[in-house]
Amino acid sequence: MKTIDDLQVAGKRVFVRADLNVPLDGETITDDGRIRAAVPTIAKLTESGAKVIVASHLGRPKGAPEPRFSLAPVARRLGELLGKQVAFATDTVGESAREAVAGLGEGDVVLLENLRFNAGETSKDDAERGAFADQLAGLADLYVGDGFGAVHRKHASVYDLPARLPHAAGDLIAAELHVLRQLTEDVKRPYAVVLGGAKVSDKLGVIDHLLERADRILIGGGMAYTFLKAQGHEIGTSLLQDDQIEAVQEYLARAKERGVEFVLPVDVLVGPEFPDLKTKAPAHPQAVSVAQIPADQMGLDIGPETCELYASKLADAATVFWNGPMGVFEHPDFAEGTRAVAQALVESPAFTVVGGGDSAAAVRILGFDENAFGHISTGGGASLEYLEGKTLPGLAALED
């Protein structure tokens, strides 16, 4: 796979597929981590005299413009981080985009409007997707894939466009691959994995793969309650995927057979209902043993004993991969479990990887220094699919 160091970019129009899919509150960016992660590659290209065309998706618009998903706020923030004006095209391949690209000088940058405002970006029809890729290709001379958070998608700008232009991987994708290989090839042991988040179904593939590789798997978040139910516990009104209980029981049995330590919460914080994340009104949680979850209560975070247990299970690890919060970290009453895991990683001498998505957001929201972790990934879903051993379309498209 070529990198941008293998390209001659001076004076060329370089299309950079970034992942600038940041959370917005109106027009306010609440976490700019993905924009900051994209800056080094863009800056490297501008400093080499490229005319840079940046493109990304944001949110899930349905193939047509939706003002709430506009990338205009991202263009402003990108300009601040680059220390230069970033032009903004109000469409993807229309008149605004063509004029903005035509006006680029060496070292200039333009950000196109949300790619998903065009139905061709996400179409399952190869011809429709290809037609949009043809239009995008008409804007550029070279392609750089640097949106790691999107490489698991077979989308026009990720999969089809590289086939139409000389292409290379950006520095962010190169860095992500280097880290992921350390989690899959010649791993330093003990290798501990922490998985959280809402749905166990989202993590079954990676659990299946990790049972062959990890020494220890710790489970938290909403997905933990399906595991607890599978062990016969009363889980009250906690999140449950009843249709996954049989699969979970099978994984627990396989872990035991293979000698993989599978660690589940021993206590949880419960409340009568899901907390109000807008007002952050006090929820008055109660810590209870997993054997004593009241029938009318909902588990919303791991409890203090589990925080200590998980910290002890991570203390002697040589490699740690963490994907998914331990509870509803957005509310202060249910953030301690996620904070405890993050703190354990900070204090660990292990090579620590925070696997993108909500985990990466939690690290920043809870005030941790990002440099205290070995690596914070920009792609939750992409990281998980890589660890499952899947072929990622966006990476396959960058191969020579």
Side-chain angles (χ1 to χ4, degrees), residues 8 15 20 29 93 98 122 148 194 220 262 275 284 293 315 355 394:
Q8 298 296 320
F15 189 104
L20 308 176
I29 297 167
V93 291
R98 291 193 299 270
T122 59
F148 182 73
V194 187
F262 220 100
H284 307 295
I293 298 175

Side-chain angles (χ1 to χ4, degrees), residues 92-93 115 118-121 127-137 156-157:
T92 55
V93 291
L115 291 164
N118 189 304
E121 170 68 1
E128 184 179 14
R129 222 175 45 247
F132 183 48
D134 287 339
Q135 291 179 292
L136 291 172
S157 65

Side-chain angles (χ1 to χ4, degrees), residues 201-328:
S201 57
D202 292 342
K203 303 293 197 299
L204 287 180
V206 76
I207 292 172
D208 183 71
H209 204 65
L210 288 169
L211 282 174
E212 309 294 324
R213 290 160 178 79
D215 299 302
R216 197 174 295 156
I217 299 175
L218 286 61
I219 301 292
M223 63 184 284
Y225 300 97
T226 299
F227 280 91
L228 293 172
K229 183 74 171 179
Q231 290 188 324
H233 291 292
E234 164 66 56
I235 63 166
T237 59
S238 307
L239 185 64
L240 171 66
Q241 286 189 284
D242 198 54
D243 61 336
Q244 301 296 333
I245 287 179
E246 189 174 333
V248 163
Q249 290 172 330
E250 178 191 336
Y251 285 141
L252 289 171
R254 276 179 56 198
K256 188 174 182 180
E257 289 171 7
R258 297 192 62 82
V260 177
E261 189 177 4
F262 220 100
V263 190
L264 295 175
V266 294
D267 67 337
V268 296
L269 295 186
V270 298
E273 59 189 4
F274 198 84
D276 189 327
L277 299 183
K278 285 193 176 294
T279 66
K280 304 288 198 298
H284 307 295
Q286 176 187 2
V288 299
S289 160
V290 295
Q292 297 176 318
I293 298 175
D296 62 347
Q297 298 283 300
M298 174 184 293
L300 295 162
D301 193 14
I302 58 173
E305 290 183 25
T306 304
C307 289
E308 291 184 14
L309 172 66
Y310 284 15
S312 71
K313 295 295 183 181
L314 297 172
D316 67 342
T319 304
V320 181
F321 173 70
W322 171 33
N323 181 280
M326 297 293 98
V328 188

Side-chain angles (χ1 to χ4, degrees), residues 122-186:
T122 59
S123 177
K124 295 193 183 329
D125 181 84
D126 291 349
E128 184 179 14
R129 222 175 45 247
F132 183 48
D134 287 339
Q135 291 179 292
L136 291 172
L139 298 172
D141 304 306
L142 303 169
Y143 176 91
V144 170
D146 210 37
F148 182 73
V151 294
H152 58 316
R153 306 295 188 192
K154 193 176 181 180
H155 291 169
S157 65
V158 175
Y159 177 75
D160 302 272
L161 183 54
R164 288 157 167 79
L165 294 170
H167 53 264
D171 288 351
L172 176 59
I173 278 186
E176 294 274 10
L177 288 176
H178 177 71
V179 167
L180 287 170
R181 287 179 183 130
Q182 292 180 70
L183 298 178
T184 54
E185 304 168 14
D186 195 26

Side-chain angles (χ1 to χ4, degrees), residues 328-387:
V328 188
F329 73 92
E330 301 92 338
H331 192 286
D333 286 345
F334 302 105
E336 286 309 306
T338 302
R339 190 191 310 277
V341 168
Q343 186 64 41
L345 266 63
V346 167
E347 294 175 359
S348 171
F351 173 59
T352 56
V353 179
V354 180
D358 286 341
S359 307
V363 163
R364 290 187 279 267
I365 289 170
L366 296 176
F368 286 91
D369 179 359
E370 293 181 50
N371 295 319
F373 303 88
H375 180 73
I376 297 181
S377 178
T378 56
S383 297
L384 289 177
E385 290 197 17
Y386 187 96
L387 292 180

